[in-house]
Amino acid sequence: FADLKTYNWAPDAKPSSGDPVIDTDTLLDQRVREAVERELASKGYKKETIRQPDFWVAYHISVRSRAEMSLLDPFYGYYGWGGWGMGGYYPGPYASGYMREYDEGTLTLDFTNPANHKLIWRGTGRDYMNLDDSPQEKARYIERSVRAMLKKFPPVSG
């Protein structure tokens, strides 16, 4: 990794989530590219647009629906029938709880060798996302995810 000094976006570096809402979001594409370029510049990498760079950058985004269920504490939550007996309070069989559904976004960065197109590094970040969030909130998610991923690049030997 010590020989890597320059980068550019891979010629086919377009969002490819399979979701038309994401794949056609030019503002999302711009934000991802700006965040990656800013982080790489802070690490001393230069964007090379004339000659072949040392590595290409591409990204992929996927979104999947997730569900999380939480049960309330048996003493404080509603449990159906239950009560006090000789051994103390005993809970009933019907615990209360709630289910939360949300979208989880995954951003994957791929750095490849332009000569042979082989992957040289991959970073992946996941975060809660809501397609209805404000543009500022979306930008914060992207910045946070890219910063966390690129904190691990270049990998340290040993």
Side-chain angles (χ1 to χ4, degrees):
F1 290 94
D3 294 337
L4 302 178
K5 308 281 186 234
T6 61
Y7 74 94
N8 199 357
W9 291 95
D12 57 349
K14 301 281 187 227
S16 58
S17 70
D19 183 335
V21 173
I22 292 171
D23 293 346
T24 60
D25 189 340
T26 56
L27 189 55
L28 177 66
D29 181 58
Q30 177 186 340
R31 286 187 179 124
V32 169
R33 288 172 183 262
E34 287 174 355
V36 170
E37 289 179 8
R38 198 170 17 259
E39 286 300 311
L40 287 175
S42 76
K43 292 176 167 285
Y45 295 97
K46 304 281 185 225
K47 186 174 179 183
E48 175 62 67
T49 58
I50 298 172
R51 292 182 297 263
Q52 182 165 292
D54 298 327
F55 64 97
W56 279 338
V57 178
Y59 74 91
H60 315 281
I61 294 177
S62 63
V63 177
R64 68 180 189 169
S65 295
R66 306 279 292 178
E68 181 178 271
M69 179 144 182
S70 297
L71 295 175
L72 297 175
D73 184 284
F75 187 75
Y76 297 104
Y78 174 75
Y79 253 76
W81 58 268
W84 293 95
M86 290 181 45
Y89 182 81
Y90 61 93
Y94 304 110
S96 64
Y98 63 92
M99 182 171 315
R100 179 176 78 104
E101 293 183 51
Y102 61 96
D103 289 326
E104 179 183 75
T106 302
L107 174 64
T108 303
L109 291 178
D110 285 343
F111 294 176
T112 56
N113 182 332
N116 59 18
H117 303 274
K118 289 190 177 183
L119 185 67
I120 58 174
W121 185 84
R122 173 173 277 174
T124 302
R126 288 185 186 88
D127 204 344
Y128 161 83
M129 69 178 292
N130 183 348
L131 295 175
D132 296 328
D133 282 342
S134 73
Q136 294 81 10
E137 289 171 310
K138 289 177 184 177
R140 277 196 297 275
Y141 292 147
I142 293 167
E143 287 286 335
R144 183 174 56 215
S145 187
V146 168
R147 189 174 303 115
M149 267 188 278
L150 290 180
K151 186 181 272 188
K152 300 171 187 166
F153 182 81
V156 253
S157 61

